[in-house]
Amino acid sequence: MNDNSIRRLVIVGGGTAGWMTATALRRLLYPELTIEVIESEEIGIIGVGEATIPPFRRHNALLGIDEREFVRATQATFKLGIEFRDWARPGDSYIHGFGTLGLDLDGQPFHQYWTRALQIGAAKDLGLYSFNVQAARQGRFMPTPSDAPKNTPLEDIVYAYHFDASLYARYLRRFAEAHGVRRVEGRVVEVRRHPESGFVETLVLQDGRSVSGDLFIDCSGFRGLLIEQCLHAGYEDWSHWLPCDRAWAVPCENVAPPVPYTRATARPAGWQWRIPLQHRVGNGHVFSSRHMSEDEAAAMLLANLEGRPLAEPKLIPFHGGKRRRAWIGNVVAIGLSGGFLEPLESTAIHLIQTSIAKLALLFPERDCSEALRNRYNSQMDGEFERVRDFLILHYHATERADTPFWNYCRTMEIPESLREYIALFRDSARIMPKSDELFTTVSWAQVLIGQHIASRRYPPVIDRLTDAELRQFIEHVEQVIGSCVAVVPAHEAFIARHCKAPPP
Ligand SMILES: Cc1cc2nc3c(=O)[nH]c(=O)nc-3n(C[C@H](O)[C@H](O)[C@H](O)COP(=O)(O)OP(=O)(O)OC[C@H]3O[C@@H](n4cnc5c(N)ncnc54)[C@H](O)[C@@H]3O)c2cc1C
């Protein structure tokens, strides 16, 4: 600490982004820092964002949160991957499973052996070689057991959660307040800035109170209260690549035990999510308003619910893209205020986590040096762009020609960065993500193959195995995975035994 150290951190917004930021920075930064969260019950939170991906578990681990207590408190279930139905062709189904795929051999990824095995008629559906996909299809779940047999997928079971977003925000709020974060209830109506530096100094609330700070985190959701309304950061709109711009969301009753995966079913002008929780199922229809009216989209969602709706559907408009600069002066935008990529691969909460981690590493002094801001902004640009490309792949790599929406997606221009990935894979089954990329070779392989992108060749080194050796290898992998999955209990039974939530 020195005279220039930041002492007062003010977070505007008490949604998932606000409370995740408050809890993580409380844990990661120095104790002299005061952290205040301003939120408005009158405005409320967005109330969606209920499916996560495995890195989310690091947030809980950082805070020392007990997993079972968290699952009970948020009516959570476990998630092994995402099922994509009807994406490349009507009637299709594949699961993008977390964790490993088959077994890498001599440094070469499994899907390359699988590509060759397919050519000689020795390979089955790719999902049979993924522990997570098999367990998900059979409705089974357990975390890594302490007595897991060596060199099997049971040694490291990779999973995430589905949870109730409102309960999660409440849970984190309790946690944050217990660790010294101060909550201020009220609506910010005025932002006062230093006349020369332009730095934000004070936020004025509707009732006349004011909150001053050295650094402000804008977690105010889509409205971007500080970053856009006050600082006019500008927005990079990617809706020409990700044409969906609306979602209807509605919870419904559970009619069956919760499955351990999210489902994304393609619809004529978008797709529908299904997120199973302990007390209900979260549903939503993400669609392009250029290709389907809001009324038609709402009717389609309600017609495709498995149980009785538990609320009126809520319409959420959005634009796929990101803020041109997420950090300006002494304001950093985290969460929906910083940008939004639609929830197809459940990445928004992960981007919140990434923003927090980068901010903690680049945490400034009061002058918020330009070098730090530039580094943060360029790193976050890269994070958003890489997730964007992975999402576009799902839309573009389709054979569907049955609606104007799918025709548009199939024939649209795509970013050069994605074109290169696809070309490399088509040419030789190779996938070379950047070292810090969220989606690894395993993820890309499952989606590329799931979307029916075929490789002409595979790397020559894969021919080191004879046909007989290759057959034996592939069969062995399938058999090990099958026997590992067989010992895993039903997802519902695991929850009932270890972390059943009380009735809401
Ligand atoms: C349709 C849809 C589906 C999604 N699904 C997923 C998913 O499955 N997985 C995933 O990871 N993410 C998903 N997301 C994203 C996820 O919902 C968000 O990233 C997450 O909820 C964080 O939201 P937030 O905290 O930024 O904003 P919000 O929840 O909107 O919170 C904003 C906060 O700011 C406060 N506020 C605003 N203005 C003021 C003011 N003037 N004064 C005081 N307080 C103010 C509000 O009261 C609120 O507390 C989805 C998003 C959408 C739109």
Side-chain angles (χ1 to χ4, degrees):
M1 293 281 293
N2 60 42
D3 286 352
N4 202 22
S5 296
I6 286 182
R7 288 173 190 271
R8 293 167 308 172
L9 179 75
V10 178
I11 299 172
V12 183
T16 299
W19 290 115
M20 282 182 80
T21 306
T23 49
L25 293 184
R26 177 72 291 158
R27 167 78 182 75
L28 293 170
L29 296 177
Y30 40 93
E32 294 83 357
L33 183 75
T34 64
I35 302 184
E36 291 174 284
V37 173
I38 307 175
E39 68 171 324
S40 155
E41 262 169 31
E42 184 199 337
I43 296 174
I45 66 170
I46 194 158
V48 285
E50 307 202 313
T52 61
I53 52 178
F56 175 78
R57 291 177 56 219
R58 289 206 290 263
H59 187 81
N60 284 359
L62 174 76
L63 303 183
I65 285 175
D66 176 76
E67 175 172 86
R68 293 178 185 183
E69 180 206 299
F70 157 79
V71 168
R72 276 192 288 270
T74 60
Q75 296 280 346
T77 62
F78 296 90
K79 170 173 172 184
L80 294 167
I82 305 172
E83 183 193 18
F84 292 95
R85 282 195 179 174
D86 303 334
W87 278 77
R89 299 170 187 161
D92 263 7
S93 160
Y94 71 94
I95 292 182
H96 167 196
F98 307 138
T100 53
L101 179 64
L103 184 66
D104 296 350
L105 199 59
D106 296 333
Q108 300 293 331
F110 176 80
H111 76 270
Q112 296 178 349
Y113 294 95
W114 179 87
T115 301
R116 179 179 153 209
L118 198 67
Q119 292 179 5
I120 63 168
K124 300 181 189 162
D125 181 85
L126 187 69
L128 280 174
Y129 308 97
S130 155
F131 171 85
N132 276 45
V133 173
Q134 283 309 301
R137 291 246 183 249
Q138 295 177 34
R140 296 172 188 261
F141 175 79
M142 69 176 179
T144 306
S146 52
D147 58 350
K150 290 272 166 254
N151 302 321
T152 69
L154 294 175
E155 266 193 305
D156 184 18
I157 299 178
V158 182
Y159 61 93
Y161 312 102
H162 305 118
F163 57 65
D164 180 314
S166 299
L167 295 178
Y168 181 57
R170 232 177 280 166
Y171 180 82
L172 279 188
R173 172 183 158 187
R174 277 198 302 275
F175 187 95
E177 288 184 313
H179 288 80
V181 173
R182 193 167 85 90
R183 174 182 181 273
V184 179
E185 167 60 36
R187 189 182 189 121
V188 176
V189 290
E190 189 191 335
V191 181
R192 293 197 183 138
R193 294 164 68 190
H194 188 277
E196 277 146 36
S197 69
F199 274 29
V200 172
E201 292 183 324
T202 302
L203 305 179
V204 182
L205 306 183
Q206 202 162 26
D207 61 8
R209 281 173 302 153
S210 62
V211 180
S212 300
D214 303 319
L215 183 69
F216 292 80
I217 313 292
D218 185 345
C219 294
S220 65
F222 282 133
R223 48 177 61 75
L225 187 75
L226 305 181
I227 198 74
E228 194 57 56
Q229 291 185 23
C230 176
L231 298 171
H232 312 293
Y235 199 72
E236 207 169 316
D237 189 325
W238 290 333
S239 50
H240 48 297
W241 288 317
L242 294 167
C244 292
D245 60 354
R246 303 266 189 290
W248 283 106
V250 68
C252 77
E253 276 179 351
N254 261 329
V255 293
V259 292
Y261 57 91
T262 310
R263 179 176 297 145
T265 305
R267 297 279 176 233
W271 61 280
Q272 181 171 335
W273 80 72
R274 179 184 186 283
I275 300 178
L277 304 177
Q278 291 195 38
H279 61 321
R280 60 167 169 81
V281 174
N283 307 276
H285 185 186
V286 178
F287 64 101
S288 157
S289 63
R290 269 198 296 143
H291 298 94
M292 184 176 279
S293 73
E294 289 174 359
D295 287 350
E296 201 185 340
M300 190 166 288
L301 175 63
L302 291 171
N304 283 291
L305 296 183
E306 288 167 13
R308 198 170 56 85
L310 295 173
E312 284 298 313
K314 176 180 168 187
L315 182 67
I316 307 169
F318 58 81
H319 293 284
K322 64 163 192 62
R323 238 16 106 199
R324 288 195 189 282
R325 282 179 299 158
W327 184 347
I328 297 179
N330 65 341
V331 171
V332 185
I334 295 184
L336 297 173
S337 60
F340 179 59
L341 294 170
E342 58 147 276
L344 189 55
E345 286 277 357
S346 317
T347 42
I349 294 173
H350 174 75
L351 287 167
I352 293 172
Q353 259 181 287
T354 311
S355 312
I356 298 168
K358 292 193 189 308
L359 179 60
L361 284 174
L362 294 167
F363 199 73
E365 297 191 319
R366 272 190 214 170
D367 60 347
C368 291
S369 87
E370 192 181 355
L372 294 179
R373 284 183 267 138
N374 289 346
R375 190 75 186 142
Y376 180 89
N377 286 333
S378 66
Q379 293 238 327
M380 286 313 299
D381 287 351
E383 293 282 342
F384 270 84
E385 283 162 12
R386 290 192 283 274
V387 171
R388 174 200 70 192
D389 283 3
F390 192 59
L391 299 185
I392 297 172
L393 173 67
H394 298 65
Y395 285 101
H396 181 64
T398 184
E399 295 168 11
R400 292 187 64 147
D402 52 324
T403 66
F405 173 81
W406 289 107
N407 271 328
Y408 173 80
C409 295
R410 201 187 66 254
T411 55
M412 69 185 169
E413 286 294 315
I414 57 172
E416 189 53 32
S417 41
L418 175 59
R419 198 198 311 280
E420 280 173 16
Y421 270 51
I422 296 176
L424 181 68
F425 184 78
R426 275 195 205 284
D427 180 66
S428 61
R430 286 185 175 95
I431 301 165
M432 302 285 284
K434 297 191 179 66
S435 55
D436 60 346
E437 203 160 314
L438 167 63
F439 292 107
T440 60
T441 298
V442 167
S443 292
W444 280 92
Q446 292 179 88
V447 176
L448 285 159
I449 292 167
Q451 298 285 140
H452 299 293
I453 296 207
S455 306
R456 277 187 287 279
R457 291 175 291 192
Y458 48 82
V461 65
I462 302 299
D463 276 330
R464 274 174 50 181
L465 297 187
T466 64
D467 281 3
E469 285 168 339
L470 180 65
R471 277 179 202 279
Q472 199 184 7
F473 170 59
I474 291 277
E475 276 166 24
H476 174 69
V477 168
E478 183 190 349
Q479 183 256 319
V480 169
I481 286 172
S483 56
C484 286
V485 171
V487 304
V488 178
H491 180 219
E492 189 193 21
F494 180 85
I495 290 175
R497 177 139 186 237
H498 299 288
C499 39
K500 183 90 189 128

